[in-house]
Amino acid sequence: MKAVGVTEFGGPDALHTLELPEPEAGAGQVRIRVHAAAVNPTDTGVRTGMRAGPDAASPQVPGMDAAGVIDQLGPGVGDRLTLGQAVVALVVPSGSHGAYAERIVVPAESVVAAPEGADVAAASTLLMNAMTARLAIDACGLSHGDTIAVTGAAGAFGGYVVQLAKADGLRVIADAKESDVDLVRGLGADEIVTRGDDVAARIRELAPDGVPGLADGALLNERALPAVADGGTLVTLRGWQDQAERGITVHPVLVVHGATDTGRLDRLARQAEQGVLGLRVAGVFPASRAAEAHRVLEAGGVRGRLVLDFTDDAALTD
């Protein structure tokens, strides 16, 4: 089968079409004929070697989000999933096993029915960012009516935090640059502050005692801490962690901890189906143009997710 990945780490042009053995579903696994794979910032880390697995000597295939159709069921999967079913999967890349491939094998627990009414490109943008957002909100331990702040609210992760927090009955303070204010307001933010390195001070203007929870999609890290109330929680991405004063908990969130949480994955898919979560596609590229998609992502300013199209063989013809 064909896949897209790297044999040498590097920039976007290191991505190329690979010929790999077709995988077979083992016990508790399903094989998916991939039709679309979302492009996430994590994928660029696999490409550059920053997020390479322990088998870094083998070809590296990025991709954590896939949508497609089940074409093989391994022993012991049960009857929740069926052959020919349209599904979405949260993929944990390892070596040559990533979502940028014609066929992938993943644990059945990481696969749920695709949101009805969503096209395959849109469906592929859901699980990785929405599950990260779900884990971030849950880590804050908030109650109905509490306030959560979100930085990077216009991005895929931040946008899902806003929508899920509102569905949970939380008050949401979100950041946005001027051109993104309408977008963030449309996601459901109650109050919006101007984004930037000093956003914590602006959050404090709306919440003088600080917020009990903050999801830091903008990767401000220590610069976000002043916005958090004594005893509150700062949720960070990409593993940043530091000791904080005032009893604040700094909680790095890793999506792999939710990769086999079928109940939460299915709930997210149903919330997308119901319109609670919006599926934002910023652009679709044939899989053979993955390098271009990575260049666009790294240039910044993308709102939503870029998607690679794997629907036919032509999509992987350089």
Side-chain angles (χ1 to χ4, degrees):
M1 70 165 189
K2 291 183 172 64
V4 173
V6 297
T7 49
E8 293 184 3
F9 299 125
D13 289 334
L15 290 166
H16 61 279
T17 300
L18 305 169
E19 291 284 348
L20 298 175
E22 189 170 276
E24 300 289 331
Q29 297 178 324
V30 300
R31 189 174 71 186
I32 299 170
R33 172 59 175 97
V34 175
H35 290 170
V39 179
N40 288 290
T42 302
D43 304 347
T44 67
V46 173
R47 188 200 75 221
T48 62
M50 290 180 62
R51 293 179 176 270
D55 47 355
S58 68
Q60 297 282 318
V61 176
M64 298 191 72
D65 266 322
V69 174
I70 294 176
D71 73 353
Q72 189 180 67
L73 297 169
V77 167
D79 58 4
R80 182 178 64 86
L81 302 170
T82 59
L83 287 173
Q85 183 179 10
V87 294
V88 287
L90 202 167
V91 184
V92 178
S94 177
S96 60
H97 303 288
Y100 292 10
E102 289 182 311
R103 285 178 171 81
I104 59 172
V105 166
V106 291
E109 293 91 343
S110 300
V111 181
V112 296
E116 288 189 17
D119 65 45
V120 69
S124 75
T125 66
L126 174 64
L127 289 183
M128 187 271 198
N129 289 282
M131 176 57 84
T132 309
R134 182 70 268 167
L135 294 173
I137 295 169
D138 292 348
C140 291
L142 305 178
S143 300
H144 191 280
D146 285 346
T147 299
I148 188 170
V150 187
T151 67
F157 162 78
Y160 282 140
V161 172
V162 173
Q163 292 180 311
L164 288 170
K166 288 305 299 177
D168 287 354
L170 301 178
R171 172 197 179 207
V172 178
I173 300 174
D175 72 346
K177 62 181 182 180
E178 185 176 353
S179 59
D180 287 330
V181 167
D182 288 343
L183 166 63
V184 174
R185 183 176 289 115
L187 293 170
D190 295 290
E191 296 171 276
I192 299 174
V193 297
T194 302
R195 66 175 295 175
D197 286 349
D198 58 349
V199 71
R202 289 188 282 276
I203 293 172
R204 280 277 182 168
E205 291 174 2
L206 298 175
D209 294 329
V211 292
L214 191 154
D216 184 25
L219 308 179
L220 297 175
N221 300 330
E222 70 279 357
R223 290 163 291 173
L225 278 170
V228 181
D230 295 0
T233 300
L234 172 66
V235 177
T236 65
L237 305 179
R238 303 191 186 178
W240 186 83
Q241 189 170 22
D242 199 0
Q243 288 189 338
E245 299 177 351
R246 301 185 288 113
I248 294 173
T249 298
V250 177
H251 186 107
V253 66
L254 299 173
V255 72
V256 295
H257 295 156
T260 56
D261 189 336
T262 309
R264 280 200 278 195
L265 292 172
D266 186 67
R267 175 62 176 153
L268 293 168
R270 306 292 69 80
Q271 287 181 301
E273 194 172 279
Q274 296 156 9
V276 174
L277 297 175
L279 303 175
R280 294 186 285 154
V281 177
V284 180
F285 296 78
S288 61
R289 289 168 55 197
E292 182 180 348
H294 274 229
R295 282 192 290 271
V296 171
L297 177 65
E298 291 183 322
V302 175
R303 296 296 176 252
R305 277 285 168 254
L306 303 171
V307 176
L308 301 181
D309 176 9
F310 284 84
T311 53
D312 54 48
D313 291 339
L316 276 161
T317 301
D318 293 318

